[in-house]
Amino acid sequence: MSSNRLRSIVPMFGGGTQYIETLDAILDFVEAHQPTSDELVGWHRGSFPNVSSRDSIMRRASYLQQVGFLHQANDHWELGDAGREYIEQGDMATLLRIMCDRNVGLRSLLYALVAGPMTLAEVSDQQLDTHPELGWSRGETDMATQRVNWLRSMGLVEKRGNEYALTEDGLQFTESAVEEWADSDWTPSVNDAGMSAGTYEATVHARTVDPEFRATVLSRHNRTCPISGVDHPGLLDVAHILSWSDYPDHRADLSNVLALSKTHHAAFDRELFTIDRDYRLRVNPEFETESDVLQRTIIDRDGERISIPEESLKPQYVTQHNAPLEWV
């Protein structure tokens, strides 16, 4: 996967839910005719009502070239590597992988939507919070609209009133992507190289998560461990309430995860402490330590309400996690 991904996602002609139909038509035309730029412009003008601007048409062709769908050689257009792969495979999974591989933010938006439907303003804020390198202005929704429309065209997102929600296909993708995309080399644009690490220590063995999922979780929790106050991204883990190994369907569920320091994540996995439905810290009475840090951040805070976003965890997940713990 390229780490130099595109920050701007360009819309296709034909309407907000027709991007893929338009993409397919362009690729079919280019494969059959290897057109010049003039011929490609002429085809667009003949195929889409009210489309006449050469600059607008060529901006879309340039975007498809950057993604890898098209390639220009001696003023003739042909299929690029991604275009040939997509046509040969002919499935939406291939297209989705290509788009996520080349465009910043599509995966993290899908992860965010697992937690619930979002308005365009919320989509815009989520993208900027997780990917500050996007750089658009707060309150701007044009770029958020293009991201949503690409995902709608792929059948992963649907519009419900003024909100956008995952479809069943979108949910299935996020459930598998958090592990399948774990080897992504994407590095968030922050002043901390440690943020890019996707691997964290677990109770039994090391496991790896998609760096975009990790970045989404850390952004949602203000990049701070609510137990220890650690706010260095390289020292934070994604901690699952319902365990990664026992509940694979909830691995990419944002309402099942916390951002914890590596030490406090290990303590949580070893059931030395937990949190209850009211977000109060509950400490295992058998937990003894001579560490000033653990005494101050865990034992001395027994019964204290920790600071995490309201409704960020599903109460039933917390109840299910705590059910075997006799001391809760």
Side-chain angles (χ1 to χ4, degrees), residues 28-37 39 75-79:
D28 287 345
F29 174 72
V30 169
E31 183 181 35
H33 300 286
Q34 291 80 52
T36 64
S37 293
E39 291 169 338
D75 196 41
H76 282 267
W77 291 87
E78 57 190 37
L79 295 182

Side-chain angles (χ1 to χ4, degrees), residues 18-71:
Q18 306 301 313
Y19 288 3
I20 305 308
E21 292 183 19
T22 298
L23 173 65
D24 290 345
I26 293 171
L27 296 182
D28 287 345
F29 174 72
V30 169
E31 183 181 35
H33 300 286
Q34 291 80 52
T36 64
S37 293
D38 287 343
E39 291 169 338
L40 186 61
V41 169
W43 178 85
H44 274 83
R45 288 171 173 167
S47 300
F48 302 99
N50 304 318
V51 173
S52 60
S53 168
R54 183 184 183 91
D55 287 346
S56 180
I57 293 168
M58 294 309 297
R59 183 166 69 92
R60 286 158 172 80
S62 177
Y63 171 70
L64 295 180
Q65 183 178 25
Q66 289 178 292
V67 175
F69 290 122
L70 300 181
H71 175 71

Side-chain angles (χ1 to χ4, degrees), residues 24 27-28 31 69 79-92 94-95 97-98:
D24 290 345
L27 296 182
D28 287 345
E31 183 181 35
F69 290 122
L79 295 182
D81 291 342
R84 285 192 295 272
E85 181 185 8
Y86 172 46
I87 286 181
E88 289 171 1
Q89 298 298 323
D91 57 47
M92 202 58 62
T94 299
L95 176 61
R97 180 180 53 76
I98 291 169

